[in-house]
Amino acid sequence: MDGLIQAVVYDTASPANIYSATVMHMVDGSQKILMISSKKNIITLESKTINDEVKTYPVELNFSNISSNAEIFSIHCINRYKEFDDFVIGITYGTIIDELNSETYLNIYSGFPGSSLEAIMENCETLMLDFFPFKLNHAIYVCETHKKGMWLLSGSDKKIHAYKSDEQKITEQEIEKHFIEYEDTKDSIVLCFDTKSFSNYKKRISFYGCETGYSMVAVVDSEKNEILHYFAEHYQSPVTIMELFNIHNKTAKTKHILSVKENFIPDCNTINEKEEICLLVGSAVESAVVYMNVLKNNLKNAITLTNSNRHQAIICALITDVNFDSKNEILIGTYGNHEPKDIVEILRSRLNILKVKEN
């Protein structure tokens, strides 16, 4: 790729999955990447400039309250302020107790404004789950004109769960009271989902994709928690990626980081409703599709990304300005060049825990 001057390859000690990475956005514009592999191997990729040369290196992390035999599933990180760094990190994991029993958990790590990552890793709240966790995320809702945030987690019980973390306690909330668009998931496991607030926070646009191939996009009145527009599509294979973006704007803008107080979680990825909003959708075996100007056209104006289905499956995507020309590029990660036996081996540990919980 033209303009690419450095690539970092890091071999994890055990397999990772599509929920295995999150980005720490610093208020000074710098970033760190948090990565996990299944067997309690957590690292951060950090960069330093030495003799005018950028060096990127991994640093191993040790988060508290995770047992040595844990299987880690997903991770998510947010910064609660724009004036200074105040990170909160969520991790889901499971442990096999015996042949018939397993347990799954959600850990929330937090500190005080300006706390080091080491201090954050030691301050943990833990909640036992009664389902197998998939994607961990967060979203903003409006309550009495105030912006508030919640953790959102999709699970094997075919639901999206909402959690509030305050006073050193994690409590589950009724999803329909805050995010009405996530109440009905069509009796399917949700593999990908997200919520983007409009720039004035009076409306939001939410979406999710399911293992059955069903996908949904909704525009919601944030103040009334009412669905204004709703459109859906059905694919022939599991929907693995969905990403919203402004076609003419760069995606990363630190000015969009919302400053909120106490335990509120800011949405640092608002979407500009005055610009053309597009939606990228990718499924396991079909070509990826970009729906142009979804607020005007719903899902009627689609552009297929040629050759995006040449590998075994589309598993991740990134929309950003790679070559710094002020135009976004679409990067698609595919799962390919593996023998069937390799795929079985990679998936085996996760399926074992899921089967134990179902029994």
Side-chain angles (χ1 to χ4, degrees):
M1 181 181 294
D2 295 340
L4 182 64
I5 62 174
Q6 184 183 103
V8 178
V9 178
Y10 178 77
D11 241 347
T12 57
S14 55
N17 61 51
I18 59 176
Y19 312 123
S20 294
T22 187
V23 179
M24 298 180 67
H25 296 277
M26 316 295 181
V27 295
D28 63 2
S30 61
Q31 299 178 355
K32 293 182 180 181
I33 299 175
L34 285 177
M35 294 178 57
I36 60 174
S37 57
S38 59
K39 298 299 183 182
K40 203 188 174 183
N41 180 229
I42 306 177
I43 66 165
T44 176
L45 290 177
E46 304 181 9
S47 298
K48 287 186 177 180
T49 302
I50 303 175
N51 297 327
D52 296 326
E53 186 176 354
V54 178
K55 298 288 186 180
T56 303
Y57 55 94
V59 176
E60 292 189 6
L61 304 176
N62 186 20
F63 281 84
S64 63
N65 288 42
I66 301 178
S67 60
S68 59
N69 65 336
E71 181 92 3
I72 299 177
F73 305 128
S74 54
I75 186 170
H76 187 64
C77 176
I78 57 93
N79 195 346
R80 292 188 287 194
Y81 290 86
K82 70 176 181 180
E83 293 87 358
F84 39 76
D85 293 326
D86 185 15
F87 291 102
V88 183
I89 300 169
I91 296 176
T92 67
Y93 63 97
T95 57
I96 295 179
I97 307 303
D98 52 45
E99 293 183 356
L100 298 177
N101 297 285
S102 68
E103 295 176 347
T104 53
Y105 300 89
L106 167 63
N107 281 7
I108 302 295
Y109 299 87
S110 62
F112 300 98
S115 292
S116 66
L117 185 55
E118 290 74 16
I120 293 172
M121 290 189 296
E122 293 299 322
N123 186 27
C124 176
E125 308 166 44
T126 299
L127 178 69
M128 180 181 288
L129 307 172
D130 57 4
F131 57 87
F132 181 93
F134 282 79
K135 183 176 179 61
L136 179 62
N137 210 335
H138 76 278
I140 294 295
Y141 67 99
V142 177
C143 180
E144 297 178 351
T145 72
H146 296 292
K147 305 177 188 71
K148 299 184 178 182
M150 282 189 181
W151 293 94
L152 301 179
L153 176 63
S154 61
S156 60
D157 57 353
K158 303 178 181 179
K159 297 179 181 178
I160 296 178
H161 299 261
Y163 299 97
K164 185 177 181 181
S165 176
D166 57 56
E167 298 179 355
Q168 299 298 309
K169 185 178 180 181
I170 308 173
T171 57
E172 184 166 3
Q173 309 293 308
E174 295 182 28
I175 190 75
E176 64 274 10
K177 289 187 176 181
H178 307 286
F179 299 96
I180 186 66
E181 64 271 34
Y182 291 140
E183 180 182 18
D184 182 9
T185 58
K186 304 302 179 183
D187 195 33
S188 179
I189 294 176
V190 174
L191 300 179
C192 55
F193 69 94
D194 203 357
T195 295
K196 304 292 185 184
S197 297
F198 286 2
S199 55
N200 59 8
Y201 286 91
K202 293 183 179 180
K203 295 180 182 179
R204 63 179 183 260
I205 183 167
S206 299
F207 55 85
Y208 66 75
C210 302
E211 66 169 355
T212 58
Y214 180 84
S215 67
M216 178 281 301
V217 182
V219 179
V220 182
D221 185 319
S222 298
E223 297 176 322
K224 298 180 180 179
N225 193 34
E226 294 180 356
I227 296 176
L228 302 176
H229 305 286
Y230 181 98
F231 28 96
E233 187 61 85
H234 203 285
Y235 301 88
Q236 299 303 311
S237 59
V239 177
T240 52
I241 59 168
M242 295 182 73
E243 296 285 345
L244 278 175
F245 62 99
N246 289 124
I247 192 169
H248 298 301
N249 288 3
K250 294 183 180 181
T251 55
K253 293 187 176 182
T254 55
K255 69 179 183 179
H256 283 162
I257 298 178
L258 172 67
S259 176
V260 291
K261 298 180 179 180
E262 299 175 354
N263 295 300
F264 301 159
I265 304 173
D267 183 353
C268 61
N269 294 311
T270 55
I271 200 86
N272 186 354
E273 72 277 15
K274 297 179 181 179
E275 296 287 343
E276 185 174 343
I277 297 176
C278 301
L279 175 67
L280 169 67
V281 180
S283 58
V285 298
E286 300 169 78
S287 296
V289 175
V290 176
Y291 294 97
M292 306 298 293
N293 201 352
V294 293
L295 293 184
K296 178 180 179 181
N297 302 319
N298 296 342
L299 301 180
K300 298 177 181 178
N301 185 6
I303 297 177
T304 301
L305 300 185
T306 307
N307 296 328
S308 58
N309 64 338
R310 292 179 61 183
H311 297 270
Q312 291 167 351
I314 296 173
I315 58 173
C316 61
L318 176 66
I319 302 169
T320 190
D321 183 9
V322 177
N323 56 2
F324 305 106
D325 64 351
S326 296
K327 297 179 181 179
N328 287 325
E329 283 77 41
I330 299 175
L331 307 182
I332 293 179
T334 59
Y335 196 82
N337 301 323
H338 289 282
E339 296 292 333
K341 62 180 181 180
D342 297 329
I343 300 173
V344 172
E345 182 67 29
I346 289 171
L347 295 178
R348 182 176 295 143
S349 58
R350 290 167 184 77
L351 291 176
N352 282 343
I353 284 189
L354 181 55
K355 288 177 181 178
V356 168
K357 290 194 71 63
E358 287 178 344
N359 290 336

